[in-house]
């Protein structure tokens, strides 16, 4: 009997969460239209790759490149609109964000034709490579518009995981395997330090996750001059430093670039989006 009641409560809670998510997507989906185009391209690539007997590579290139180009076009048509905060304050859209989203899309669009020849010569799987590039681009675009701590953490992890896989994509190369191992360890450590800093901000602000609400919470609780803020800022700076690899956090970077042979633009676009998403102030 108790199990039956708990099961009903779980179904009701799940239905309520699903309806709320559907409501947000229905009324705020237009604000993330360029990102939705990339998501549609990812789904289309997966469907074609899983159902097609003959792996027609030109179709994969065409779908991925077309989704990126259409996303850029949608981004340009949205230019000069008023700043909007959507998804219950989790995402914001303005022209400043769209500049960095455009740079990320442009870098990813150039990555594909620059990497095609090497992938074809080495006979590596092309579908997975395109999926990783599109997913990393998607994470970078969401990071540019992030307006709360959860989105700021989840978005870079989305493209960080893809970056780990891309750095070790040439798995027969020893240097590529070494690059993946170092990148994964440093990325995991930096993410842990970053989350530790976010937890300090969350607690000191009175349980707020939105950027502007964190500032207001620190002012209301009179904790903006406390030692905890120094710990939070140091942790966030160290976490960001290892992800962006500026001096003195750059020792691991040369090995990663040495292992990633087929494309050089991906770390650049990721660094641009991370720098903007993390250092953006309300």
């Amino acid at each position: 009997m108790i199990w039956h009641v708990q099961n009903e409560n779980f179904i009701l809670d799940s239905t309520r969460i699903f309806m709320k998510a559907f409501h947000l997507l229905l009324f705020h989906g237009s604000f993330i239209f360029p990102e939705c185009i990339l998501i549609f391209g990812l789904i289309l690539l997966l469907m074609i790759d899983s159902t097609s007997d003959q792996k027609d590579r030109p179709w994969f290139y065409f779908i991925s490149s077309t989704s990126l180009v259409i996303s850029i076009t949608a981004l340009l048509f949205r230019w000069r609109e008023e700043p909007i905060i959507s998804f219950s304050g989790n995402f914001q859209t303005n022209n400043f964000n769209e500049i960095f989203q455009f740079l990320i899309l442009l870098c990813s669009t150039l990555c594909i034709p620059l990497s095609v020849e090497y992938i074809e010569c080495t006979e590596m799987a092309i579908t997975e490579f395109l999926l990783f590039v599109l997913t990393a681009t998607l994470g970078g675009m969401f990071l540019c518009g992030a307006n709360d701590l959860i989105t700021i953490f989840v978005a870079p992890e989305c493209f960080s995981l893809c970056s780990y896989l891309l750095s070790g994509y040439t798995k027969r190369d020893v240097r590529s395997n070494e690059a993946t191992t170092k990148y994964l360890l440093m990325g995991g450590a930096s993410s842990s330090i970053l989350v530790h800093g976010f937890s300090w901000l969350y607690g000191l602000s009175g349980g707020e996750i939105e950027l502007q609400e964190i500032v207001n919470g620190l002012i209301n609780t009179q904790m903006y001059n406390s030692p905890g803020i120094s710990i939070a800022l140091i942790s966030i700076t160290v976490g960001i430093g290892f992800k962006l690899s500026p001096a003195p956090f750059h020792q691991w970077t040369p090995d990663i670039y040495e292992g990633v042979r087929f494309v050089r633009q991906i770390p650049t676009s990721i660094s641009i989006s991370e720098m903007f998403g993390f250092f953006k102030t309300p």
Side-chain angles (χ1 to χ4, degrees):
M1 183 66 181
I2 297 176
W3 178 85
H4 182 69
V5 173
Q6 291 177 346
N7 191 28
E8 287 184 352
N9 292 333
F10 175 77
I11 294 175
L12 291 175
D13 293 339
S14 301
T15 304
R16 194 178 298 110
I17 294 172
F18 175 78
M19 293 302 296
K20 184 178 180 180
F22 179 76
H23 178 270
L24 288 174
L25 185 61
L26 182 64
F27 289 95
H28 299 277
S30 60
F31 303 130
I32 57 169
F33 185 66
E35 291 84 352
C36 291
I37 294 174
L38 293 182
I39 295 175
F40 179 76
L42 286 169
I43 296 174
L44 193 60
L45 279 176
L46 288 172
M47 292 178 60
I48 294 178
D49 183 61
S50 60
T51 58
S52 178
D53 294 332
Q54 295 180 351
K55 305 303 180 182
D56 196 359
R57 290 189 172 186
W59 271 107
F60 296 146
Y61 298 136
F62 176 77
I63 292 172
S64 57
S65 300
T66 303
S67 61
L68 290 170
V69 172
I70 295 177
S71 183
I72 292 176
T73 305
L75 201 63
L76 294 177
F77 273 107
R78 202 172 62 182
W79 183 255
R80 293 188 180 277
E81 292 186 357
E82 293 295 328
I84 299 173
I85 296 180
S86 56
F87 290 95
S88 301
N90 297 332
F91 194 79
Q92 62 176 335
T93 304
N94 54 52
N95 292 338
F96 191 57
N97 295 350
E98 292 172 356
I99 293 174
F100 290 90
Q101 290 178 340
F102 174 78
L103 291 176
I104 294 171
L105 287 170
L106 183 62
C107 291
S108 300
T109 305
L110 295 176
C111 281
I112 295 176
L114 291 175
S115 308
V116 166
E117 183 178 359
Y118 183 85
I119 293 176
E120 289 182 348
C121 291
T122 55
E123 298 182 352
M124 293 188 298
I126 183 60
T127 309
E128 288 76 5
F129 170 77
L130 297 175
L131 290 174
F132 294 154
V133 172
L134 291 181
T135 307
T137 306
L138 188 64
M141 293 184 67
F142 275 116
L143 178 58
C144 290
N147 195 48
D148 68 324
L149 297 180
I150 296 177
T151 310
I152 291 176
F153 175 74
V154 173
E157 289 304 307
C158 178
F159 59 68
S160 292
L161 293 174
C162 296
S163 302
Y164 305 152
L165 297 172
L166 285 172
S167 63
Y169 201 65
T170 53
K171 57 185 179 181
R172 299 176 183 176
D173 191 348
V174 177
R175 283 172 291 190
S176 180
N177 297 330
E178 180 185 357
T180 304
T181 303
K182 291 184 178 180
Y183 199 2
L184 179 61
L185 293 176
M186 297 304 300
S190 61
S191 298
S192 302
I193 298 172
L194 189 63
V195 169
H196 182 69
F198 284 170
S199 65
W200 276 94
L201 279 182
Y202 176 80
L204 294 172
S205 63
E208 302 291 344
I209 61 173
E210 294 183 23
L211 298 182
Q212 185 60 53
E213 295 298 329
I214 289 174
V215 175
N216 297 334
L218 292 174
I219 295 174
N220 295 333
T221 58
Q222 301 294 320
M223 298 298 291
Y224 51 86
N225 287 327
S226 64
I229 288 296
S230 300
I231 298 174
L233 293 178
I234 291 173
S235 299
I236 293 174
T237 302
V238 172
I240 295 173
F242 278 113
K243 284 183 175 295
L244 295 180
S245 66
F249 308 102
H250 64 290
Q251 292 86 357
W252 58 276
T253 312
D255 292 334
I256 308 303
Y257 275 89
E258 184 181 0
V260 183
R261 293 180 170 276
F262 52 90
V263 64
R264 305 297 185 186
Q265 285 74 18
I266 292 176
T268 303
S269 60
I270 288 173
S271 298
I272 292 173
S273 59
E274 282 189 348
M275 182 171 57
F276 169 66
F278 283 129
F279 288 102
K280 177 178 55 180
T281 55

